[in-house]
Amino acid sequence: MATPRPLSPQLALGVLATGMLMTILDGSIVTVAMPAIQRDLGFSPVGLSWIVNAYLIAFGSLLLLAGRLGDLIGRKRMFLAGTGIFTAASLLAGVAASPGVLIAARFLQGVGSAMSSAVGLGILVTLFTVPRERARAIAVFSFTGAAGASLGQVLGGVLTDALTWNWIFFINLPIGVATLLVALRALPSDQGLGLRAGADVLGALLVTSGLMTGIYAVVKIEEYGAGSVHTLGLGALALALLAGFLLRQTKAANPLMPLRILRSRSVSGANAVQMLMVAALFSFQILVALYLQKVLGYGAAETGLAMLPAAAVIGAVSLGVSARLIARFGERNVLLTGILLLVGVLGLLTRVPVHASYATDLLPVMLLAAGFGLALPALTSLAMSGAEEADAGLASGLFNTTQQIGMALGVAVLSTLAASRTETLTAAGKPAAEALTGGYHLAFGVGAGLLLAAFAIAFTVLRRPAAEATAVAPEPSAKALATH
């Protein structure tokens, strides 16, 4: 399936990066404004969590389906439709006057984000076929995701304090409209394979319901407990649905997800590494913010500013050196180096004191976050290099799906461990700040263990033999990328 190049691949990259920025920004910007939303709309403490959960469930469960549909009906169409839905849902969220309307709008935002995000990488890797150009493009794409998470915390605090919480959603309107207008011209038109090439309705129902059930079970672990009937029952149901999906893919004439994609060690290995890495780094992105606010007494805007050095070094490494390092040393070696730096981040955090100095205790941690700027572009290149062009949307959707599953697992497992340890220390008579810090230490330590597991998988699995490169990625550009 030939994909014509747009008038400017760089402009197309800008559109895709902007779409990614909106998605990531929206995920982090809302967390800062939740207390104000609760006061204005009268959310209950339990109901308030659904501002995040509704988005996460829709987003995480639809990525795989949206990625494959992009391959079938055209990735540009999917991107435009998703951006349009997300923008309209942002307007609905901004004018919401009741909890029910806001939760519904957040669910629709998740649907739109899934549609646009699932095909973004698929479009990118078909635009940039020369390995060095592709590495640079992926570095830019990866940086926007990392920057969005940090900027969201700062921007959410500023908008909520200076205006009202409604503006955290209204800010998406001009960005979304501009993205749509430019994307119409900048993105390449592709007809897709056609629905007959993979219109597996039963498979779509199984994978979407399985992912939705599984993500719901994970996000409710903190409320019900990991060993509860609720969690175990829903977890078993999710596994059964996903197992049914995989079985269906072996028998369907036109499978939704051709299992050949998983035979690539680069695809399957990179997705496993990402799930562990994202789960571990939740403890950096979220728990460090909680530590700054609850232990050190930082405000929302101060917290965002304190974490900006991490975004700065990630950006400098992603945009400045990662592509050159990948071209010289290969994706795998750069990925391993990045993971080791991130292990250092969480290792230092296991020793952060109750009365910390930002300059001596926290700034070194922020600077070591440069490892993320090395690891993510290299990991993304590996995950996408093993897929044929016809499966690029599916590979993109799969990569984003494992990212969301890893994030959900990180939220559920690490926050639960931190809370449990804090309760134990409090019961033992420790002061509140010391108990909280002890809980965060445990989560950081477990996160470091997850990163070491990711390193082990990357070291052992991501060794792509030449035979696989020929079998899985027959296009010359993909072969060239596989030789790094």
Side-chain angles (χ1 to χ4, degrees), residues 219-236:
V219 299
K220 301 299 283 184
I221 283 177
E222 190 171 2
E223 181 178 344
Y224 289 96
S228 67
V229 174
H230 180 276
T231 300
L232 295 178
L234 287 178

PDB file of all heavy atoms in Angstrom, residues 219-236:
ATOM      1  N   VAL A 219      -7.745   0.204  37.725  1.00  0.00           N
ATOM      2  CA  VAL A 219      -7.871   1.543  38.307  1.00  0.00           C
ATOM      3  C   VAL A 219      -8.667   1.524  39.610  1.00  0.00           C
ATOM      4  O   VAL A 219      -8.608   2.476  40.389  1.00  0.00           O
ATOM      5  CB  VAL A 219      -8.505   2.542  37.312  1.00  0.00           C
ATOM      6  CG1 VAL A 219      -7.661   2.683  36.070  1.00  0.00           C
ATOM      7  CG2 VAL A 219      -9.945   2.161  36.962  1.00  0.00           C
ATOM      8  N   LYS A 220      -9.404   0.433  39.868  1.00  0.00           N
ATOM      9  CA  LYS A 220     -10.183   0.347  41.109  1.00  0.00           C
ATOM     10  C   LYS A 220      -9.482  -0.475  42.188  1.00  0.00           C
ATOM     11  O   LYS A 220     -10.069  -0.741  43.240  1.00  0.00           O
ATOM     12  CB  LYS A 220     -11.556  -0.262  40.815  1.00  0.00           C
ATOM     13  CG  LYS A 220     -12.388   0.522  39.798  1.00  0.00           C
ATOM     14  CD  LYS A 220     -12.684   1.939  40.257  1.00  0.00           C
ATOM     15  CE  LYS A 220     -13.759   1.996  41.292  1.00  0.00           C
ATOM     16  NZ  LYS A 220     -14.099   3.399  41.659  1.00  0.00           N
ATOM     17  N   ILE A 221      -8.228  -0.898  41.917  1.00  0.00           N
ATOM     18  CA  ILE A 221      -7.508  -1.690  42.913  1.00  0.00           C
ATOM     19  C   ILE A 221      -7.358  -0.933  44.225  1.00  0.00           C
ATOM     20  O   ILE A 221      -7.527  -1.489  45.316  1.00  0.00           O
ATOM     21  CB  ILE A 221      -6.126  -2.114  42.366  1.00  0.00           C
ATOM     22  CG1 ILE A 221      -6.278  -3.273  41.377  1.00  0.00           C
ATOM     23  CG2 ILE A 221      -5.199  -2.535  43.507  1.00  0.00           C
ATOM     24  CD1 ILE A 221      -4.981  -3.712  40.740  1.00  0.00           C
ATOM     25  N   GLU A 222      -7.054   0.354  44.127  1.00  0.00           N
ATOM     26  CA  GLU A 222      -6.833   1.131  45.345  1.00  0.00           C
ATOM     27  C   GLU A 222      -8.093   1.191  46.203  1.00  0.00           C
ATOM     28  O   GLU A 222      -8.025   1.236  47.435  1.00  0.00           O
ATOM     29  CB  GLU A 222      -6.368   2.550  44.989  1.00  0.00           C
ATOM     30  CG  GLU A 222      -5.883   3.343  46.183  1.00  0.00           C
ATOM     31  CD  GLU A 222      -5.222   4.650  45.781  1.00  0.00           C
ATOM     32  OE1 GLU A 222      -5.180   4.960  44.581  1.00  0.00           O
ATOM     33  OE2 GLU A 222      -4.752   5.355  46.688  1.00  0.00           O
ATOM     34  N   GLU A 223      -9.263   1.162  45.573  1.00  0.00           N
ATOM     35  CA  GLU A 223     -10.530   1.230  46.307  1.00  0.00           C
ATOM     36  C   GLU A 223     -10.923  -0.126  46.891  1.00  0.00           C
ATOM     37  O   GLU A 223     -11.382  -0.217  48.033  1.00  0.00           O
ATOM     38  CB  GLU A 223     -11.644   1.734  45.387  1.00  0.00           C
ATOM     39  CG  GLU A 223     -12.999   1.867  46.057  1.00  0.00           C
ATOM     40  CD  GLU A 223     -14.068   2.409  45.121  1.00  0.00           C
ATOM     41  OE1 GLU A 223     -13.707   2.969  44.065  1.00  0.00           O
ATOM     42  OE2 GLU A 223     -15.258   2.270  45.438  1.00  0.00           O
ATOM     43  N   TYR A 224     -10.771  -1.194  46.093  1.00  0.00           N
ATOM     44  CA  TYR A 224     -11.257  -2.505  46.517  1.00  0.00           C
ATOM     45  C   TYR A 224     -10.168  -3.420  47.072  1.00  0.00           C
ATOM     46  O   TYR A 224     -10.465  -4.369  47.792  1.00  0.00           O
ATOM     47  CB  TYR A 224     -11.943  -3.215  45.337  1.00  0.00           C
ATOM     48  CG  TYR A 224     -13.265  -2.601  44.943  1.00  0.00           C
ATOM     49  CD1 TYR A 224     -13.344  -1.664  43.908  1.00  0.00           C
ATOM     50  CD2 TYR A 224     -14.437  -2.939  45.614  1.00  0.00           C
ATOM     51  CE1 TYR A 224     -14.552  -1.100  43.542  1.00  0.00           C
ATOM     52  CE2 TYR A 224     -15.647  -2.383  45.256  1.00  0.00           C
ATOM     53  CZ  TYR A 224     -15.707  -1.465  44.218  1.00  0.00           C
ATOM     54  OH  TYR A 224     -16.906  -0.901  43.866  1.00  0.00           O
ATOM     55  N   GLY A 225      -8.903  -3.181  46.702  1.00  0.00           N
ATOM     56  CA  GLY A 225      -7.825  -4.054  47.126  1.00  0.00           C
ATOM     57  C   GLY A 225      -7.466  -5.067  46.049  1.00  0.00           C
ATOM     58  O   GLY A 225      -8.339  -5.524  45.306  1.00  0.00           O
ATOM     59  N   ALA A 226      -6.178  -5.427  45.977  1.00  0.00           N
ATOM     60  CA  ALA A 226      -5.712  -6.322  44.922  1.00  0.00           C
ATOM     61  C   ALA A 226      -6.274  -7.727  45.061  1.00  0.00           C
ATOM     62  O   ALA A 226      -6.474  -8.431  44.065  1.00  0.00           O
ATOM     63  CB  ALA A 226      -4.187  -6.367  44.928  1.00  0.00           C
ATOM     64  N   GLY A 227      -6.528  -8.180  46.299  1.00  0.00           N
ATOM     65  CA  GLY A 227      -7.017  -9.542  46.498  1.00  0.00           C
ATOM     66  C   GLY A 227      -8.515  -9.658  46.660  1.00  0.00           C
ATOM     67  O   GLY A 227      -9.017 -10.729  47.031  1.00  0.00           O
ATOM     68  N   SER A 228      -9.255  -8.587  46.368  1.00  0.00           N
ATOM     69  CA  SER A 228     -10.709  -8.610  46.565  1.00  0.00           C
ATOM     70  C   SER A 228     -11.400  -9.420  45.475  1.00  0.00           C
ATOM     71  O   SER A 228     -10.857  -9.646  44.389  1.00  0.00           O
ATOM     72  CB  SER A 228     -11.259  -7.177  46.557  1.00  0.00           C
ATOM     73  OG  SER A 228     -11.116  -6.598  45.272  1.00  0.00           O
ATOM     74  N   VAL A 229     -12.637  -9.852  45.781  1.00  0.00           N
ATOM     75  CA  VAL A 229     -13.450 -10.572  44.798  1.00  0.00           C
ATOM     76  C   VAL A 229     -13.690  -9.688  43.574  1.00  0.00           C
ATOM     77  O   VAL A 229     -13.656 -10.162  42.425  1.00  0.00           O
ATOM     78  CB  VAL A 229     -14.783 -11.017  45.429  1.00  0.00           C
ATOM     79  CG1 VAL A 229     -15.702 -11.626  44.375  1.00  0.00           C
ATOM     80  CG2 VAL A 229     -14.535 -12.008  46.555  1.00  0.00           C
ATOM     81  N   HIS A 230     -13.905  -8.399  43.804  1.00  0.00           N
ATOM     82  CA  HIS A 230     -14.144  -7.457  42.710  1.00  0.00           C
ATOM     83  C   HIS A 230     -12.959  -7.439  41.746  1.00  0.00           C
ATOM     84  O   HIS A 230     -13.132  -7.595  40.522  1.00  0.00           O
ATOM     85  CB  HIS A 230     -14.372  -6.062  43.295  1.00  0.00           C
ATOM     86  CG  HIS A 230     -14.631  -4.991  42.284  1.00  0.00           C
ATOM     87  ND1 HIS A 230     -13.612  -4.324  41.636  1.00  0.00           N
ATOM     88  CD2 HIS A 230     -15.784  -4.474  41.788  1.00  0.00           C
ATOM     89  CE1 HIS A 230     -14.125  -3.437  40.798  1.00  0.00           C
ATOM     90  NE2 HIS A 230     -15.439  -3.503  40.877  1.00  0.00           N
ATOM     91  N   THR A 231     -11.760  -7.261  42.288  1.00  0.00           N
ATOM     92  CA  THR A 231     -10.575  -7.163  41.437  1.00  0.00           C
ATOM     93  C   THR A 231     -10.255  -8.486  40.751  1.00  0.00           C
ATOM     94  O   THR A 231     -10.010  -8.529  39.537  1.00  0.00           O
ATOM     95  CB  THR A 231      -9.363  -6.701  42.269  1.00  0.00           C
ATOM     96  OG1 THR A 231      -9.650  -5.423  42.844  1.00  0.00           O
ATOM     97  CG2 THR A 231      -8.114  -6.597  41.405  1.00  0.00           C
ATOM     98  N   LEU A 232     -10.255  -9.569  41.525  1.00  0.00           N
ATOM     99  CA  LEU A 232      -9.904 -10.870  40.952  1.00  0.00           C
ATOM    100  C   LEU A 232     -10.945 -11.345  39.942  1.00  0.00           C
ATOM    101  O   LEU A 232     -10.604 -11.915  38.900  1.00  0.00           O
ATOM    102  CB  LEU A 232      -9.738 -11.908  42.066  1.00  0.00           C
ATOM    103  CG  LEU A 232      -8.571 -11.664  43.031  1.00  0.00           C
ATOM    104  CD1 LEU A 232      -8.551 -12.721  44.117  1.00  0.00           C
ATOM    105  CD2 LEU A 232      -7.245 -11.641  42.285  1.00  0.00           C
ATOM    106  N   GLY A 233     -12.223 -11.098  40.243  1.00  0.00           N
ATOM    107  CA  GLY A 233     -13.285 -11.520  39.320  1.00  0.00           C
ATOM    108  C   GLY A 233     -13.212 -10.780  37.994  1.00  0.00           C
ATOM    109  O   GLY A 233     -13.266 -11.400  36.916  1.00  0.00           O
ATOM    110  N   LEU A 234     -13.074  -9.458  38.066  1.00  0.00           N
ATOM    111  CA  LEU A 234     -12.980  -8.679  36.832  1.00  0.00           C
ATOM    112  C   LEU A 234     -11.676  -8.970  36.094  1.00  0.00           C
ATOM    113  O   LEU A 234     -11.643  -8.999  34.858  1.00  0.00           O
ATOM    114  CB  LEU A 234     -13.085  -7.185  37.142  1.00  0.00           C
ATOM    115  CG  LEU A 234     -14.481  -6.672  37.523  1.00  0.00           C
ATOM    116  CD1 LEU A 234     -14.417  -5.183  37.840  1.00  0.00           C
ATOM    117  CD2 LEU A 234     -15.482  -6.930  36.412  1.00  0.00           C
ATOM    118  N   GLY A 235     -10.608  -9.191  36.845  1.00  0.00           N
ATOM    119  CA  GLY A 235      -9.344  -9.536  36.205  1.00  0.00           C
ATOM    120  C   GLY A 235      -9.441 -10.849  35.449  1.00  0.00           C
ATOM    121  O   GLY A 235      -8.936 -10.969  34.320  1.00  0.00           O
ATOM    122  N   ALA A 236     -10.094 -11.844  36.057  1.00  0.00           N
ATOM    123  CA  ALA A 236     -10.276 -13.132  35.385  1.00  0.00           C
ATOM    124  C   ALA A 236     -11.137 -12.991  34.140  1.00  0.00           C
ATOM    125  O   ALA A 236     -10.864 -13.598  33.096  1.00  0.00           O
ATOM    126  CB  ALA A 236     -10.893 -14.139  36.353  1.00  0.00           C
TER     127      ALA A 236
END
